[in-house]
Amino acid sequence: MTPAPADTPATVDLLRMPTSGPGDLAPLEALRAFGHSPTDVLAVVGKTEGNGCVNDFSRTLATVRWEPVLPSDTITVFSGGTEGVLSPHVNLIVADPRPRPGHDRGLVAAAGRTRDLAPDEVGREPQLAAVRDVVTELTKRLGLAPEEVDMVLVKCPLLTSDRIAACRATGSEPVTDDTYESMARSRAAAALGVALALGECSEDQALAALADRDTTQVWSSRASASAGAELTDCHVLVLGTSRHASSPLRAVHGTMRDAIDLASLRTLFDRIAAEGGELVQVFAKAEADPYGLVRGQRHTMLTDSDLHSTRHARAAVGGLLSALAGTTALYVSGGAEHQGPPGGGSVTLVYRVPDA
Amino acid sequence: MTPAPADTPATVDLLRMPTSGPGDLAPLEALRAFGHSPTDVLAVVGKTEGNGCVNDFSRTLATVRWEPVLPSDTITVFSGGTEGVLSPHVNLIVADPRPRPGHDRGLVAAAGRTRDLAPDEVGREPQLAAVRDVVTELTKRLGLAPEEVDMVLVKCPLLTSDRIAACRATGSEPVTDDTYESMARSRAAAALGVALALGECSEDQALAALADRDTTQVWSSRASASAGAELTDCHVLVLGTSRHASSPLRAVHGTMRDAIDLASLRTLFDRIAAEGGELVQVFAKAEADPYGLVRGQRHTMLTDSDLHSTRHARAAVGGLLSALAGTTALYVSGGAEHQGPPGGGSVTLVYRVPDA
Amino acid sequence: MTPAPADTPATVDLLRMPTSGPGDLAPLEALRAFGHSPTDVLAVVGKTEGNGCVNDFSRTLATVRWEPVLPSDTITVFSGGTEGVLSPHVNLIVADPRPRPGHDRGLVAAAGRTRDLAPDEVGREPQLAAVRDVVTELTKRLGLAPEEVDMVLVKCPLLTSDRIAACRATGSEPVTDDTYESMARSRAAAALGVALALGECSEDQALAALADRDTTQVWSSRASASAGAELTDCHVLVLGTSRHASSPLRAVHGTMRDAIDLASLRTLFDRIAAEGGELVQVFAKAEADPYGLVRGQRHTMLTDSDLHSTRHARAAVGGLLSALAGTTALYVSGGAEHQGPPGGGSVTLVYRVPDA
Amino acid sequence: MTPAPADTPATVDLLRMPTSGPGDLAPLEALRAFGHSPTDVLAVVGKTEGNGCVNDFSRTLATVRWEPVLPSDTITVFSGGTEGVLSPHVNLIVADPRPRPGHDRGLVAAAGRTRDLAPDEVGREPQLAAVRDVVTELTKRLGLAPEEVDMVLVKCPLLTSDRIAACRATGSEPVTDDTYESMARSRAAAALGVALALGECSEDQALAALADRDTTQVWSSRASASAGAELTDCHVLVLGTSRHASSPLRAVHGTMRDAIDLASLRTLFDRIAAEGGELVQVFAKAEADPYGLVRGQRHTMLTDSDLHSTRHARAAVGGLLSALAGTTALYVSGGAEHQGPPGGGSVTLVYRVPDA
């Protein structure tokens, strides 16, 4: 195992707090009550209540409100869409170097950003490479082996009509001129960047999958990417369980093989129970099965022109996960291209074990 | 216990079959393969893939296709909305008098219709009374005590702009001039009619709840009502488990106290397992909690102006139930006014035990 | 000019009648009141009140109701979407050989069908060729020179999840796996077939435009194509004003250069006024400008993930045309790929001049 | 005529500027280029690109961005919804005391706010009274007779799930528990306050209309109210053409009797032409006819459960007005309860005549 760099372990706490609206900064006050300062916040990872699609201004509103009160290198990841029972909230990932001895491992995290991506780079190899590089660097900084990474959250750009026009004005053609489709393409490139950084596929495989738009063969079991119009670079959070850290917080990850994969989820929840742990948060990806079937039965998410499939998928998987977790303030994000098997998605559970 | 009338037990089989679209009549052929004839069909209960709201023409399309091929007293109940993973299908409730000795009880059913309701009767006492009377009569015909009824499905009318105008042309004011709201009012009156017929409330309680539009105090644990523009009367199916019948099919009912009430569902599934049974079908109602909260966390189903709350609720509860059932062709219907506790809903599981 | 074949002129009447719902057959009775029989109907061209997108079952419902009461070679063209003020209605195109002497020209029409198209032919050259051939044949049968054709209506298939899966099962890849996008691709192929048949472009130009997905360079000023899941062939109606016919009905066509092109519309309406005519019906195509701009101002139709751009476009252009026509029962169809200049669309006005 | 108070005439300029998104503050820079300062801005009246309904965070985003850069007594009125061709933009109403002699009248404006309204006051008499008082005061301050007022813009609150719960927690019942419906009720109360202040109805008439929810008998020809979750008071802008002012800017107002009332619009546009004027901006209200008909033809805006009627109405009326205006950056707002005749709405045109 790579020896941990001098500045690790980057032990973190995870505070989950409800919000009364996308612009609600009340969690900042709560943060202080927990003994943390805004300057300790590595990342704000929130669910906001927009449609989670191209014109989701709830994400932008959250960004406009949070970014001025946070250090410049803190990243934000706002994922829109709290369909069904899901509840708007933020997760504050906070550096927490306070000694918590007696644990054989602990939750660590690091955050970073890629450079700004030009519109014609979105959904293409340059985005993939930029994400791969940041994930590689952050993983290294945490002293984690790739297999110790539990989750890589990426917030990545999309293409609006304006960005498409700007792209064409420079003589380039964007990867797609369908703005909703651009979200999928951006997530795909980001997820393949993660898969590559974590050694889950070869570069050839990643590039072929990107070129062929084939989301079914190659995936990362730990990538969670979501796209938005509120940024032009990619925000990246790497989260893992380090043997160099000692903290009651841990994570466990798995994949749902389809949107109703109760067995895989039970395995994860059982592992927490076996350690006497208490669930802190669930991070899951969800998508409509690309073949139009769930366990052989037809679904209608891909033929519903009133409601995009990502909204359907979040609602359904959110309903299941909330029932298992006993709470609805979960991070469920839609559109799982290369983020788990087709129709399924990556799942990471953060939990807390009793102090030694 | 009321002695069963001469023509009971009205033992039924339940065949669940996928559909390729709202107008798909292929299940009729399958029916024959199972040894039944269309003339044996008491009720066709389907999920179609429209929005489940006012302008859901998938329900009408299904009705227009099925009704000509069925006996005139067979009822149809098409519930729109297969959000999330839910899969379009039909459930054929078929009279099945073939002797299946050796069981101490069995699934029975009877179907009927109210008279046509005038637009100004929808959502009001006359609808409640009409449903109550049909439920009472069908229950009696089945020789069931009220507590032996497992489910009362009602398909009831709604108000379109045309019907509202027709109502006003006669000098009457409809119960509401909001067409989507009329669905809730119609379901409420139907459900209170069921509650009254099954002895779950007094007439005063039912009428007060209807007048006050208070859906939180009085409910039926077995009502499942859905509204549509494709009919002007109410179609009623009473389903129960009779001690006078002998069949491997049975039902068990319960209520979800909220949309993520895993504990109540497990109790029902466990009961089936305890009897060595195999799940045949789930019939569930779902709704957005009227207080805006699920387990104390804010939900956004009632403030989403792009997507009606019934669509949200079906998707979420459908995701949970599908995972538990291991299949997605379930009957999950949205809008549970007086059909279970606020934010929850009635649930009925039909299952099959091994032959003796 | 080609001499008119023996069986021409195929003079037609156009009856526009309101409908109370997609399945309303009352216009058939009205038809008889006008002295026509259902066997005289060449085409039923209707606007139904669905979303006009993939899961628009209002179109299917209309088809299922109308087709059994019409001769087998009568075609149906149901276009979904009556956004804004638009009013659901049908236009019955009826053969009307009754002599109406004294006019120097008159409205003629003919209808036909292509063969069934395989899923992998949709949006590709085989569809283009099939439409081109039918248009050519119908034009010839009417004895019209291409420039005398005022409108070619085409109803063409789309790709559902089922059809995409069926396509892949045969080893072929569909033109797109996005079901909504398949509507645009199908309309594009149909419209280019019309353009080719009417001599508005060369075969090379048509094929290049199809291959490049470039809808901006080549178009037909008279094509009006709409896609639906309710058919697998293409239904084609050719309508023109023939010098061989004598009837008070005529048509005039033009193009809107953008969605607010009042000047072009006024020219058309003025022409009718100049002839002392009375408007009978408007057939128009509408679309969101693909560059994201109308007269240099940004529009948001292509970034609205809650509402597809075809719905936006119908509502806006329908509002304008209804005000000019003084009535809202107009045929406005969304998605004008190759059916007029980018952001605009073809427009045909049918009108009646006083009897001589 | 009331003599103008000492501080009048409050001559204003109106600058209309495109925005690249709801949070775009670029118009502030443009303002300076026109010789104005942010401190001169009385009101920012914008169209943002959300759904214009309850969960329209584009309005909140605009508010959060604009309010910190404006004087505390400047009001904002952001109306969501740029359906169809409508283009997002802001209108800056700027105090402009620079002498522009030689005109016999000129555009004047004043802005103010009501007190915060408790949730149970929304849509009820206290809101009506509060708006009436502010309109009365601002009109007086401008030295305008009520009949000289051309437009009263009001931005008013709505009820979210949170506000409904807060209301009930105090033992009060809100005017409605349907969040979308609360927008209509709030607009109604605000509009009746305007009607009362401008002498367009009696207090008895206003209160009776509010109580009966009858929007068809009483209306203001100059009210334009829109509701939002981004405020809890009402923002009010009174705009008129004063004989005490001298400026090339003027306004003219009228009403559309229905959504396709071209004749009334032509009268207004003709008046501008007759004065040699140039259109500066259109402010219009639009709504779905409450009887379900436009010129006797059925519309489907009130039975469309996928798309609220205010979105339909803006798209349709926006299409018509844009064609007449030759530009799409118009202020068209949906939901015209008591803001013009049923199915129609108030319209105000601001225009500029050549300098003397």
Side-chain angles (χ1 to χ4, degrees):
Chain A
M1 192 184 298
T2 316
D7 63 344
T8 61
T11 315
V12 291
D13 199 2
L14 189 160
L15 306 175
R16 178 178 61 179
M17 299 176 196
T19 52
S20 64
D24 182 14
L25 296 182
L28 267 185
E29 300 315 308
L31 179 75
R32 291 191 179 94
F34 279 90
H36 298 295
S37 145
T39 56
D40 303 331
V41 179
L42 293 180
V44 180
V45 177
K47 285 298 306 179
T48 60
E49 56 204 277
N51 60 18
C53 302
V54 177
N55 61 329
D56 182 344
F57 298 107
S58 72
R59 289 185 311 242
T60 314
L61 174 55
T63 305
V64 161
R65 291 276 289 162
W66 278 94
E67 295 201 337
V69 300
L70 296 169
S72 66
D73 57 348
T74 299
I75 65 159
T76 56
V77 176
F78 291 109
S79 163
T82 56
E83 290 81 4
V85 295
L86 291 170
S87 187
H89 70 281
V90 291
N91 303 282
L92 304 179
I93 315 294
V94 189
D96 190 4
R98 294 176 295 190
R100 300 291 291 271
H103 295 284
D104 66 351
R105 57 195 198 273
L107 194 70
V108 296
R113 282 187 179 86
T114 67
R115 62 180 172 80
D116 279 354
L117 296 170
D120 64 355
E121 293 179 326
V122 171
R124 292 197 170 118
E125 194 275 342
Q127 182 182 0
L128 186 160
V131 170
R132 178 202 57 204
D133 291 350
V134 174
V135 175
T136 300
E137 187 218 319
L138 295 175
T139 303
K140 207 168 172 184
R141 197 197 301 169
L142 289 170
L144 291 175
E147 61 273 18
E148 291 174 312
V149 169
D150 286 302
M151 177 172 70
V152 180
L153 275 181
V154 184
K155 188 76 202 180
C156 51
L158 56 77
L159 297 175
T160 59
S161 290
D162 277 3
R163 290 186 191 175
I164 291 168
C167 182
R168 287 176 171 159
T170 68
S172 285
E173 191 60 22
V175 72
T176 176
D177 60 4
D178 178 322
T179 59
Y180 177 69
E181 169 74 12
S182 78
M183 302 181 78
R185 306 299 283 269
S186 183
R187 288 190 298 260
L192 289 169
V194 175
L196 202 48
L198 299 186
E200 297 177 285
C201 68
S202 70
E203 185 163 355
D204 283 356
Q205 288 173 316
L207 293 177
L210 193 67
D212 298 348
R213 300 187 50 198
D214 178 351
T215 63
T216 65
Q217 307 298 324
V218 178
W219 66 79
S220 167
S221 58
R222 289 159 282 167
S224 173
S226 75
E230 66 274 18
L231 77 178
T232 51
D233 54 358
C234 296
H235 297 180
V236 180
L237 176 74
V238 174
L239 188 139
T241 310
S242 172
R243 298 283 170 184
H244 301 291
S246 171
S247 135
L249 278 188
R250 299 171 184 180
V252 62
H253 67 263
T255 52
M256 292 177 73
R257 284 161 308 179
D258 60 26
I260 60 172
D261 184 7
L262 185 56
S264 294
L265 294 173
R266 277 191 172 145
T267 302
L268 296 174
F269 280 88
D270 286 351
R271 200 161 343 155
I272 296 176
E275 298 180 28
E278 181 190 11
L279 181 72
V280 171
Q281 182 56 303
V282 178
F283 296 88
K285 288 297 306 188
E287 73 174 6
D289 180 82
Y291 304 108
L293 300 172
V294 177
R295 305 256 173 117
Q297 302 283 336
R298 183 169 70 100
H299 71 74
T300 60
M301 298 186 255
L302 297 173
T303 53
D304 187 339
S305 301
D306 298 311
L307 189 57
H308 274 305
S309 65
T310 45
R311 300 201 72 187
H312 279 283
R314 276 189 297 267
V317 174
L320 168 58
L321 286 168
S322 294
L324 294 176
T327 182
T328 59
L330 306 181
Y331 184 91
V332 180
S333 166
E337 302 82 0
H338 307 293
Q339 301 155 68
S346 63
V347 189
T348 301
L349 275 58
V350 174
Y351 61 107
R352 187 183 313 273
V353 294
D355 258 322
Chain B
M1 187 186 299
T2 316
D7 62 343
T8 62
T11 314
V12 292
D13 198 2
L14 189 160
L15 306 175
R16 178 178 60 180
M17 298 175 197
T19 51
S20 65
D24 182 14
L25 296 181
L28 267 184
E29 299 316 307
L31 180 74
R32 291 192 179 93
F34 279 90
H36 299 293
S37 142
T39 55
D40 303 331
V41 179
L42 293 181
V44 180
V45 177
K47 284 298 306 178
T48 60
E49 56 204 280
N51 61 19
C53 301
V54 178
N55 60 330
D56 182 344
F57 298 107
S58 72
R59 289 185 312 241
T60 314
L61 174 54
T63 304
V64 161
R65 291 277 288 163
W66 277 94
E67 296 201 337
V69 300
L70 295 170
S72 67
D73 57 349
T74 299
I75 65 159
T76 55
V77 176
F78 291 109
S79 162
T82 55
E83 290 82 3
V85 295
L86 292 170
S87 186
H89 71 281
V90 291
N91 303 282
L92 304 179
I93 315 294
V94 188
D96 190 4
R98 295 176 292 191
R100 299 294 291 269
H103 295 284
D104 66 352
R105 57 195 197 273
L107 194 70
V108 297
R113 285 189 178 82
T114 66
R115 63 178 171 82
D116 277 355
L117 296 170
D120 64 355
E121 293 179 325
V122 171
R124 291 197 170 117
E125 195 275 343
Q127 182 183 358
L128 186 161
V131 170
R132 178 202 58 205
D133 292 349
V134 174
V135 175
T136 300
E137 188 219 319
L138 295 175
T139 303
K140 207 169 171 185
R141 197 195 302 169
L142 289 170
L144 291 176
E147 60 274 17
E148 291 174 311
V149 170
D150 286 304
M151 177 172 70
V152 181
L153 275 182
V154 185
K155 188 74 203 180
C156 50
L158 57 77
L159 298 174
T160 59
S161 290
D162 278 2
R163 291 186 190 175
I164 291 168
C167 182
R168 286 177 171 159
T170 67
S172 285
E173 189 61 19
V175 72
T176 176
D177 61 3
D178 179 323
T179 58
Y180 177 70
E181 170 74 13
S182 78
M183 302 181 79
R185 306 299 282 270
S186 182
R187 287 189 300 259
L192 289 168
V194 175
L196 202 49
L198 298 186
E200 297 177 285
C201 67
S202 71
E203 185 163 354
D204 283 357
Q205 287 174 317
L207 293 177
L210 193 67
D212 297 350
R213 301 188 47 198
D214 178 350
T215 63
T216 65
Q217 307 298 323
V218 177
W219 65 81
S220 166
S221 57
R222 289 159 283 168
S224 173
S226 76
E230 66 274 20
L231 76 179
T232 51
D233 53 358
C234 295
H235 297 182
V236 180
L237 176 74
V238 174
L239 188 140
T241 309
S242 171
R243 297 282 171 185
H244 300 291
S246 170
S247 138
L249 277 188
R250 301 169 181 183
V252 61
H253 68 264
T255 52
M256 293 176 73
R257 283 162 307 179
D258 60 25
I260 60 171
D261 184 6
L262 184 57
S264 294
L265 293 173
R266 279 195 171 140
T267 301
L268 296 174
F269 280 89
D270 286 351
R271 200 162 342 156
I272 296 176
E275 299 180 26
E278 182 190 10
L279 181 73
V280 172
Q281 183 55 304
V282 178
F283 296 89
K285 288 297 305 188
E287 74 174 4
D289 180 83
Y291 305 107
L293 300 173
V294 177
R295 306 258 171 114
Q297 301 285 336
R298 182 167 71 98
H299 71 74
T300 60
M301 298 185 256
L302 297 172
T303 54
D304 187 339
S305 301
D306 298 311
L307 190 57
H308 274 305
S309 65
T310 44
R311 301 201 71 187
H312 279 284
R314 276 188 297 267
V317 173
L320 168 57
L321 286 168
S322 294
L324 293 176
T327 182
T328 59
L330 307 182
Y331 184 91
V332 180
S333 166
E337 302 82 3
H338 307 293
Q339 301 153 68
S346 64
V347 189
T348 302
L349 275 57
V350 174
Y351 61 105
R352 187 183 313 272
V353 293
D355 259 321
Chain C
M1 190 185 299
T2 315
D7 63 344
T8 61
T11 314
V12 291
D13 199 1
L14 189 160
L15 306 176
R16 178 177 61 180
M17 299 175 195
T19 51
S20 65
D24 182 14
L25 296 181
L28 267 185
E29 300 315 307
L31 180 74
R32 291 193 179 93
F34 278 91
H36 299 294
S37 144
T39 56
D40 303 331
V41 179
L42 293 181
V44 180
V45 177
K47 283 300 304 181
T48 60
E49 56 204 280
N51 62 18
C53 302
V54 177
N55 61 331
D56 183 344
F57 299 107
S58 72
R59 289 185 312 241
T60 314
L61 174 54
T63 304
V64 162
R65 291 277 288 162
W66 278 94
E67 296 201 338
V69 299
L70 295 170
S72 67
D73 57 346
T74 299
I75 65 160
T76 56
V77 176
F78 291 108
S79 162
T82 56
E83 290 84 2
V85 295
L86 291 170
S87 187
H89 70 280
V90 291
N91 303 281
L92 304 179
I93 314 293
V94 188
D96 191 4
R98 294 174 294 190
R100 299 294 291 269
H103 295 284
D104 67 351
R105 58 195 197 274
L107 194 70
V108 296
R113 285 185 177 87
T114 66
R115 63 179 170 83
D116 277 354
L117 296 170
D120 64 354
E121 293 179 325
V122 170
R124 292 201 169 115
E125 194 275 341
Q127 181 183 359
L128 186 161
V131 170
R132 178 203 56 204
D133 291 349
V134 174
V135 175
T136 300
E137 187 220 318
L138 295 175
T139 304
K140 208 168 169 185
R141 195 195 304 168
L142 290 171
L144 291 176
E147 62 274 16
E148 290 174 312
V149 171
D150 285 303
M151 177 172 69
V152 180
L153 274 182
V154 185
K155 187 76 202 178
C156 49
L158 55 78
L159 298 175
T160 59
S161 291
D162 278 1
R163 291 187 191 175
I164 291 168
C167 183
R168 287 175 172 161
T170 68
S172 284
E173 190 60 21
V175 71
T176 176
D177 61 4
D178 178 324
T179 58
Y180 177 70
E181 170 73 14
S182 79
M183 302 181 78
R185 305 298 283 272
S186 183
R187 289 189 299 260
L192 289 169
V194 176
L196 202 49
L198 299 186
E200 297 177 284
C201 67
S202 70
E203 186 165 352
D204 283 357
Q205 288 173 316
L207 293 178
L210 193 67
D212 298 348
R213 302 188 47 198
D214 177 350
T215 63
T216 65
Q217 307 298 322
V218 177
W219 66 80
S220 166
S221 58
R222 287 157 284 167
S224 174
S226 75
E230 66 274 20
L231 77 178
T232 51
D233 55 356
C234 295
H235 296 181
V236 181
L237 176 74
V238 174
L239 189 140
T241 310
S242 170
R243 298 282 171 186
H244 300 291
S246 171
S247 137
L249 277 188
R250 299 169 183 184
V252 61
H253 67 265
T255 52
M256 293 178 72
R257 283 162 307 179
D258 59 26
I260 60 171
D261 183 7
L262 184 57
S264 294
L265 293 173
R266 279 193 169 141
T267 301
L268 296 174
F269 279 89
D270 286 352
R271 200 158 347 152
I272 295 175
E275 298 180 28
E278 181 190 9
L279 182 72
V280 170
Q281 182 54 304
V282 178
F283 296 89
K285 288 297 304 188
E287 74 174 5
D289 181 82
Y291 303 108
L293 300 173
V294 177
R295 306 257 172 116
Q297 302 284 335
R298 183 169 69 99
H299 71 74
T300 60
M301 297 186 256
L302 297 174
T303 54
D304 188 339
S305 301
D306 298 310
L307 189 58
H308 273 305
S309 66
T310 44
R311 301 200 71 187
H312 278 285
R314 276 189 298 267
V317 173
L320 168 57
L321 286 168
S322 294
L324 293 175
T327 182
T328 60
L330 306 182
Y331 184 91
V332 180
S333 166
E337 302 81 0
H338 308 294
Q339 302 153 67
S346 64
V347 190
T348 301
L349 276 58
V350 174
Y351 60 106
R352 187 183 313 274
V353 294
D355 259 321
Chain D
M1 189 184 302
T2 316
D7 63 344
T8 62
T11 314
V12 291
D13 199 1
L14 188 161
L15 306 175
R16 178 177 62 180
M17 299 175 197
T19 52
S20 65
D24 182 14
L25 296 181
L28 267 185
E29 300 314 307
L31 180 75
R32 290 191 179 94
F34 279 91
H36 298 294
S37 146
T39 56
D40 302 331
V41 179
L42 293 180
V44 179
V45 177
K47 285 298 305 180
T48 61
E49 56 204 279
N51 62 18
C53 302
V54 177
N55 61 330
D56 182 345
F57 299 107
S58 72
R59 291 185 310 242
T60 314
L61 175 55
T63 304
V64 161
R65 291 277 288 163
W66 278 94
E67 295 201 339
V69 300
L70 295 170
S72 66
D73 57 348
T74 299
I75 66 160
T76 55
V77 176
F78 290 109
S79 162
T82 56
E83 290 83 4
V85 295
L86 292 170
S87 187
H89 71 280
V90 292
N91 303 280
L92 304 179
I93 315 294
V94 188
D96 191 4
R98 295 174 295 190
R100 300 292 293 270
H103 295 285
D104 66 352
R105 59 196 197 274
L107 194 71
V108 298
R113 284 186 179 86
T114 66
R115 62 179 171 82
D116 277 354
L117 296 170
D120 64 355
E121 294 179 325
V122 171
R124 293 200 169 114
E125 193 274 341
Q127 181 183 0
L128 186 161
V131 170
R132 177 201 59 204
D133 291 350
V134 173
V135 175
T136 301
E137 187 218 319
L138 295 175
T139 304
K140 206 167 171 185
R141 196 196 301 168
L142 289 170
L144 291 176
E147 62 272 17
E148 291 174 314
V149 170
D150 286 302
M151 177 173 70
V152 180
L153 275 182
V154 184
K155 187 77 202 178
C156 50
L158 57 78
L159 297 175
T160 59
S161 291
D162 278 3
R163 290 186 190 176
I164 290 168
C167 182
R168 286 175 171 161
T170 68
S172 285
E173 190 59 22
V175 72
T176 176
D177 60 4
D178 178 324
T179 59
Y180 177 69
E181 170 73 13
S182 79
M183 301 181 79
R185 306 298 282 271
S186 182
R187 289 189 300 258
L192 289 168
V194 175
L196 202 49
L198 299 186
E200 297 178 283
C201 67
S202 71
E203 186 164 353
D204 283 357
Q205 288 174 316
L207 293 179
L210 194 66
D212 299 348
R213 301 188 48 198
D214 177 351
T215 63
T216 65
Q217 307 297 323
V218 178
W219 66 79
S220 167
S221 59
R222 287 158 284 167
S224 173
S226 75
E230 67 274 19
L231 77 177
T232 51
D233 55 357
C234 296
H235 297 180
V236 181
L237 176 73
V238 174
L239 189 140
T241 309
S242 170
R243 298 283 170 185
H244 301 292
S246 170
S247 136
L249 277 188
R250 299 168 182 183
V252 62
H253 68 265
T255 54
M256 292 177 74
R257 283 162 307 179
D258 60 26
I260 60 171
D261 183 8
L262 185 57
S264 294
L265 293 173
R266 277 193 172 143
T267 302
L268 296 174
F269 279 88
D270 286 352
R271 198 157 350 151
I272 296 176
E275 298 180 27
E278 180 190 12
L279 181 72
V280 171
Q281 182 56 305
V282 177
F283 296 89
K285 287 298 304 189
E287 74 174 5
D289 180 82
Y291 304 108
L293 300 172
V294 176
R295 306 257 172 115
Q297 301 284 335
R298 183 168 70 101
H299 70 74
T300 60
M301 297 186 256
L302 297 174
T303 54
D304 188 340
S305 300
D306 298 310
L307 189 57
H308 274 305
S309 66
T310 45
R311 300 200 73 187
H312 279 283
R314 277 189 297 268
V317 173
L320 168 57
L321 286 169
S322 294
L324 294 174
T327 182
T328 59
L330 306 182
Y331 185 91
V332 180
S333 167
E337 302 81 1
H338 307 293
Q339 303 155 65
S346 64
V347 189
T348 302
L349 275 58
V350 174
Y351 60 105
R352 188 184 310 275
V353 294
D355 261 320

